[in-house]
Amino acid sequence: DNVIDRILAGARLSEGDKIIEVGPGIGTLTREMGKVADKVVAIEIDKTLIPILRETLGEFDNIEVVNQDILKVDVETLVKEKLDGGPVKLVANLPYYITTPIVMKFLEEDIPVTDIVVMVQKEVALKLCSEEKSPLKMMIDYVGDVQYELNVPRHVFMPAPHVDSAVISIHKERVISQELIDLIEASYTAKRKTLYNNLKPLYHDQTKEVLESCGIPANKRAEELNIDDYIRILERSHKL
């Protein structure tokens, strides 16, 4: 109950909210959100859980269960068709291997998201809330801020996983363009390569000029830059 309460607090849940939940399990958290939110769309990939969810959530007419893979869902269309166009909040319990693609998907500009609250592997949560640089961290820094909400020890789950988890919340204050996402991802293509080498496929013969016009040495590496540097690179590339 304590974990559920903290997740709800991290989501800043209030009456009238529209929620996308990924990985509802048997619907324990889903029920609590359904008591407050205007509408909850719960996306569950495991078809064996669908009958259980229909039973545990049957009393709620504001909760809809969708048996799909979130990585394949057209979220923009889903928001328009099932959630009145948004804005929406994302609440999810994410396996390690899909944390980055899912969060990135909901950071993009065409999806009207205000808050992202996710339970992830503790190691991932610590990295995203630290000063350690990564493409996802850069994107989060651009759209808003990230908070470490709470630890979730492995023993609260049945069966217990092999690692501890944690809940983080991302408050999204602005959107990030696909162009800026592409620039950040290109910069981190190969961590041992210089920024110049990583960006050459993107800017070709203008790469050195773009970097010099921003006052950024060509031998810098991606992790030495902050989000303002990437914004400057993008702006200068448009002018050359």
Side-chain angles (χ1 to χ4, degrees):
D1 288 345
N2 176 56
V3 173
I4 289 173
D5 288 344
R6 292 287 295 275
I7 291 173
L8 296 176
R12 310 178 197 207
L13 204 63
S14 61
E15 190 175 338
D17 279 345
K18 294 171 174 50
I19 311 292
I20 293 177
E21 183 186 13
V22 178
I26 61 171
T28 308
L29 175 61
T30 320
R31 287 178 60 86
E32 297 306 310
M33 293 193 292
K35 293 175 183 177
V36 181
D38 176 54
K39 178 76 183 282
V40 180
V41 174
I43 302 173
E44 176 56 60
I45 190 172
D46 186 350
K47 64 182 179 181
T48 64
L49 288 174
I50 302 304
I52 298 171
L53 287 166
R54 289 197 182 117
E55 183 176 335
T56 59
L57 305 174
E59 67 191 88
F60 293 89
D61 58 10
N62 64 333
I63 298 177
E64 180 176 352
V65 178
V66 177
N67 182 205
Q68 287 191 46
D69 179 352
I70 185 59
L71 289 172
K72 298 177 181 177
V73 171
D74 183 337
V75 178
E76 187 182 357
T77 299
L78 181 142
V79 171
K80 288 177 181 176
E81 293 180 351
K82 299 183 182 296
L83 294 165
D84 301 323
V88 302
K89 295 180 178 180
L90 170 69
V91 178
N93 179 10
L94 298 177
Y96 172 73
Y97 70 97
I98 62 167
T99 296
T100 296
I102 292 299
V103 174
M104 282 178 58
K105 187 169 188 171
F106 282 86
L107 291 180
E108 291 177 5
E109 60 182 331
D110 293 331
I111 302 172
V113 176
T114 58
D115 292 274
I116 297 172
V117 182
V118 289
M119 187 186 301
V120 296
Q121 189 173 319
K122 184 177 179 180
E123 180 186 353
V124 177
L126 289 170
K127 285 181 179 179
L128 290 178
C129 294
S130 71
E131 296 302 313
E132 185 175 333
K133 303 287 180 64
S134 70
L136 184 56
K137 174 65 171 170
M138 290 288 101
M139 295 170 202
I140 292 171
D141 287 347
Y142 180 82
V143 303
D145 61 84
V146 60
Q147 297 289 330
Y148 193 101
E149 297 290 344
L150 76 155
N151 294 319
V152 186
R154 66 192 77 182
H155 66 75
V156 304
F157 295 98
M158 275 193 306
H162 297 298
V163 296
D164 291 325
S165 299
V167 175
I168 61 170
S169 64
I170 301 166
H171 181 56
K172 186 177 173 185
E173 297 174 347
R174 60 176 173 172
V175 299
I176 183 167
S177 69
Q178 186 59 52
E179 195 175 13
L180 184 52
I181 290 173
D182 292 343
L183 168 59
I184 293 170
E185 288 186 322
S187 300
Y188 280 84
T189 303
K191 287 194 72 173
R192 294 189 178 185
K193 285 189 176 182
T194 63
L195 201 60
Y196 172 79
N197 285 325
N198 280 337
L199 292 184
K200 201 165 184 184
L202 201 62
Y203 297 132
H204 309 292
D205 293 340
Q206 291 185 315
T207 306
K208 189 173 182 181
E209 189 178 356
V210 168
L211 292 174
E212 286 181 347
S213 68
C214 297
I216 298 172
N219 63 351
K220 284 267 189 182
R221 286 181 165 77
E223 62 268 21
E224 297 180 81
L225 273 59
N226 57 39
I227 189 60
D228 291 332
D229 294 323
Y230 288 108
I231 295 169
R232 206 159 66 249
I233 290 171
L234 193 59
E235 288 174 347
R236 291 303 303 169
S237 70
H238 289 159
K239 295 177 181 178
L240 294 176

